[in-house]
Amino acid sequence: MSAIAEKKVGDTLEPVTLSPVSRLDLIKYAGASGDYNPIHTIDEEAEKAGLPGIIAHGMWTMGNLSKLFTPYYDEGFIETYQIRFRGMVFLDDVISLNAEVSEQAEGKITFNVNAKNQKEEDVLKGTVVFRTY
Amino acid sequence: MFEEAIGKGSNKVRNTVERGAVRKFADAIGDAHPIFVNEEAGKASRYGRNIAPPTFPRVFDYGEIVGLGLPSKGLIHGEQIYHYTRPLLVGEDIHCWTEVKDYKEKAGKSGTMGILTLEGKGEDSEGTLVFRAEQVVIITEAVRKGMEA
């Protein structure tokens, strides 16, 4: 793995494709985060809310996306992590996580980040500013 | 309907970045990296201990804003921003509070949307700000009508 500080505009971080979203993923996230909104875990509640089925917590996907940067914590840290929730994530969706350098400045690397579903639709989109030591 | 809440905040609440909670959280987002979960790796790192993932502040208690009665169902999370001065360290205490930063209403396809911006903050025991967390919540017309009823 090459140093993050050496990345240039247009370079990407190693993308990650997640296993199909499972109910257990969302139950685990509910427990770990304390977000027990039932539209994420109980079919009837999701349907009552007008959804075709349970949907992933937006914060679950945002949490997953940050792992692209985890291998680089010895070089710096995520200073700003900004995300817009663009689309819903359903059970069995296959989510891919991507980051591309948009700006490189002294001590500060800005990335465009996104999470896409199997239809190549953005479900999350935003920016990460990684500050290097 | 939340215009009068702008500027209102909660009292500070002490939270601990608990080792077990960090492990559980890292595992739940598929990121059980040694920097988060392995004590030896944490000690050997530049931080001298384990750190928490950047979205971990989701688990903190920010206290209650008196008079801000948000419905428990139907809210849509529109946007989330974290801004850090340094990573959160496992074992440290973080004092958190939250404030209503903004509220606007906007005509949309399915009626009037309320756009509520909440800002959470966390500072360490020395009173140094560690992070800010901005959350934009969308309140649809249907949900707002339900609250008024």
Side-chain angles (χ1 to χ4, degrees):
Chain A
M1 175 195 333
S2 64
I4 202 164
E6 288 161 16
K7 303 269 181 204
K8 294 180 186 65
V9 173
D11 284 353
T12 55
L13 297 184
E14 190 64 35
V16 167
T17 300
L18 303 178
S19 313
V21 176
S22 73
R23 187 179 298 267
L24 188 59
D25 288 334
L26 307 184
I27 292 170
K28 272 168 76 177
Y29 186 77
S33 68
D35 181 348
Y36 290 107
N37 187 331
I39 62 167
H40 303 303
T41 48
I42 302 170
D43 299 313
E44 294 80 4
E45 289 291 335
E47 282 154 25
K48 258 196 256 168
L51 300 165
I54 61 170
I55 58 167
H57 307 73
M59 291 300 295
W60 174 80
T61 316
M62 184 174 178
N64 271 276
L65 181 54
S66 66
K67 67 187 165 206
L68 299 184
F69 297 87
T70 307
Y72 301 102
Y73 273 110
D74 258 353
E75 288 184 63
F77 65 97
I78 291 178
E79 183 180 71
T80 303
Y81 188 14
Q82 175 266 326
I83 284 295
R84 272 178 197 268
F85 300 99
R86 303 285 289 263
M88 289 185 273
V89 173
F90 299 98
L91 282 186
D92 299 321
D93 276 359
V94 176
I95 304 299
S96 63
L97 311 169
N98 309 281
E100 181 181 322
V101 178
S102 64
E103 251 182 270
Q104 171 66 276
E106 185 62 37
K108 223 174 214 194
I109 310 153
T110 307
F111 292 83
N112 287 327
V113 296
N114 65 61
K116 288 182 192 292
N117 64 18
Q118 64 279 10
K119 295 176 207 152
E120 288 289 301
E121 297 160 341
D122 284 328
V123 291
L124 305 189
K125 207 173 164 61
T127 55
V128 165
V129 178
F130 194 87
R131 171 163 284 280
T132 52
Y133 292 115
Chain B
M1 73 190 300
F2 292 108
E3 285 87 354
E4 66 282 1
I6 296 172
K8 279 190 185 167
S10 66
N11 291 324
K12 280 182 196 172
V13 180
R14 182 167 65 98
N15 289 268
T16 304
V17 184
E18 287 165 3
R19 173 169 301 283
V22 168
R23 184 182 300 122
K24 215 166 123 186
F25 190 87
D27 182 49
I29 57 170
D31 196 15
H33 190 278
I35 192 80
F36 300 138
V37 302
N38 181 294
E39 224 170 321
E40 292 309 311
K43 272 186 197 146
S45 75
R46 63 178 305 125
Y47 306 99
R49 57 218 271 200
N50 293 114
I51 60 173
T55 55
F56 186 75
R58 185 71 177 169
V59 312
F60 292 150
D61 181 353
Y62 294 84
E64 236 174 277
I65 301 174
V66 178
L68 181 74
L70 281 177
S72 61
K73 285 180 184 177
L75 298 177
I76 298 165
H77 198 172
E79 189 174 355
Q80 179 72 42
I81 306 169
Y82 289 104
H83 188 82
Y84 279 92
T85 57
R86 62 163 174 82
L88 290 163
L89 306 171
V90 167
E92 75 174 328
D93 281 346
I94 296 288
H95 302 261
C96 301
W97 70 102
T98 185
E99 191 182 302
V100 178
K101 209 177 165 195
D102 195 22
Y103 180 73
K104 282 192 197 91
E105 288 186 354
K106 208 166 105 181
K109 271 177 273 175
S110 48
T112 304
M113 288 190 317
I115 303 164
L116 181 70
T117 306
L118 299 169
E119 185 179 56
K121 288 183 184 167
E123 62 184 29
D124 63 18
S125 299
E126 274 82 58
T128 307
L129 193 73
V130 179
F131 74 89
R132 276 193 305 115
E134 213 176 291
Q135 182 184 3
V136 179
V137 178
I138 315 284
I139 306 160
T140 61
E141 184 161 296
V143 169
R144 231 178 36 252
K145 290 229 165 101
M147 290 176 68
E148 282 161 359

